[in-house]
Amino acid sequence: MASFTPLDRLEREHHRQQFIETQFGGIDEIDITAITGDASFRHYFRIQTAKADFILMDVPPEKGSVCEFVHLNEVFAEGGLTVPKVLAFDDKLGFVLLEDLGVIHLADLIESEHREAHYLTLLSWLPKIAKLPVSRWMKEYDSAFIVQEMEIFKSWLLEKWLGYALDDEKAGRWQHLTESLTQCMLAQPQVVMHRDFHSRNVMFHQGEGRLIDYQDAVVGPVCYDAVSLLKDCYVKLPEDEFESLKKASYQQLSSHELLEGIAYEQYVDYFNLTGLQRHLKAAGIFARLNLRDGKPGYLPNILPTLDYIVEAAGAYAEYQWLATWLQSEIIPMVQDKLAESL
């Protein structure tokens, strides 16, 4: 779990106040409120003044750099994506001042009658993201990166959270799974991807969607962002709607010549297996957020994420062992662990 001494907190608060005074020195009344819920080392604050509200991103320099965010904000904006405006930043202190997009996410509109229209609009963003120019701030989503993500599930969810060690047979199967999913993801056309294109990273402000949390954009498999959006760890779409939107994602990517002639059946396989890898990683991250970062609020998302894995793995004879293992051993252990935390 990440920890900070009182001195660390006081020093960070001093730097934050210093940056705010530089931007709003002539304003008497400023209200600063912490915004919770971000699954990263970044912290956010809402700054309210008499005339307007703003968002402050706080990234301690020892934890990371704001340069990726600022640069990629420009890349995404120039590529036709609607993103929050960067109003000021200090890369040495680690602060970015942004326009305030309010509090409404796509996740808050799931029950609205316009839900499908919202999703279709977001799917039209896929080619725009994929065709963004590759930036030096974008890592390559290569085999080492994919394997590292797979290990998050084994290390954080199985070993550290559940206390479960793979026996020799399962370790061999896990190795084969890692290799085959890596091959599947690398076999696809490689494009720019947001990497976390889901319901909590799309804000709705002044009647239109705005994309956030794009600082971890990478170059990787073409269907990854469609998987992130339609097989969301926080929202499960009705089956008929999901199938319709999955076809729409294929049509969007194909019509913009991003699939290199891939037939829909092959796209569905890529989609399913990319989702399998993504959801293994995500389930591991939810456990890591609890253990390392002291954020237990993400634990309830583990079971829905494991359900996605069971569903995808069960559709392929090669991965049926994974579905069976999760259902018979791992999911009951997760249920017991969650019950202990209530």
Side-chain angles (χ1 to χ4, degrees), residues 120-184:
L120 288 171
T121 297
L122 297 179
L123 290 177
S124 74
W125 294 4
L126 292 176
K128 293 180 181 180
I129 298 172
K131 291 186 174 184
L132 290 173
V134 176
S135 162
R136 69 185 180 91
W137 296 107
M138 297 176 186
K139 295 180 181 179
E140 185 180 355
Y141 200 67
D142 57 15
S143 58
F145 202 139
I146 296 168
V147 170
Q148 181 182 26
E149 288 193 336
M150 291 284 289
E151 286 300 299
I152 294 173
F153 180 87
K154 185 165 76 73
S155 176
W156 288 94
L157 190 143
L158 294 182
E159 298 172 355
K160 295 180 181 177
W161 191 52
L162 296 180
Y164 185 101
L166 297 177
D167 59 25
D168 290 344
E169 178 189 1
K170 288 191 175 65
R173 286 182 165 179
W174 180 263
Q175 179 66 26
H176 174 72
L177 173 69
T178 299
E179 291 172 357
S180 61
L181 293 183
T182 299
Q183 290 170 4
C184 166

Side-chain angles (χ1 to χ4, degrees), residues 189-254:
Q190 303 293 291
V191 301
V192 172
M193 64 189 208
H194 178 283
R195 196 173 162 216
D196 277 311
F197 188 44
H198 58 67
S199 62
R200 294 190 181 181
N201 283 336
V202 178
M203 306 289 294
F204 279 82
H205 181 65
Q206 297 179 342
E208 67 175 349
R210 304 281 191 98
L211 189 58
I212 63 172
D213 207 19
Y214 38 79
Q215 65 278 344
D216 294 321
V218 297
V219 177
V222 67
C223 71
Y224 193 98
D225 280 345
V227 172
S228 301
L229 181 65
L230 301 182
K231 300 189 80 171
D232 190 334
C233 295
Y234 308 109
V235 174
K236 186 169 177 64
L237 293 168
E239 187 62 25
D240 58 343
E241 192 172 325
F242 166 73
E243 290 295 334
S244 174
L245 290 170
K246 184 169 63 177
K247 289 180 181 177
S249 73
Y250 172 79
Q251 291 163 356
Q252 280 286 350
L253 295 169
S254 180

Side-chain angles (χ1 to χ4, degrees), residues 10-58:
L10 285 173
E11 183 178 10
R12 195 62 194 159
E13 185 177 339
H14 170 73
H15 288 156
R16 187 163 56 244
Q17 194 64 38
Q18 181 182 343
F19 177 78
I20 291 171
E21 288 176 0
T22 300
Q23 306 305 318
F24 302 99
I27 299 178
D28 293 330
E29 293 187 13
I30 301 176
D31 185 50
I32 305 171
T33 307
I35 302 173
T36 59
D38 184 61
S40 74
F41 52 79
R42 292 174 285 272
H43 300 280
Y44 295 88
F45 298 83
R46 175 164 279 110
I47 300 176
Q48 296 175 294
T49 72
K51 293 185 178 180
D53 296 346
F54 306 89
I55 296 296
L56 178 66
M57 177 193 290
D58 179 341

Side-chain angles (χ1 to χ4, degrees), residues 52-88:
D53 296 346
F54 306 89
I55 296 296
L56 178 66
M57 177 193 290
D58 179 341
V59 182
E62 68 274 12
K63 295 287 185 179
S65 170
V66 300
C67 293
E68 293 95 330
F69 181 90
V70 172
H71 177 76
L72 291 176
N73 175 277
E74 183 178 346
V75 171
F76 274 69
E78 290 180 352
L81 281 304
T82 308
V83 293
K85 295 176 182 176
V86 172
L87 305 173

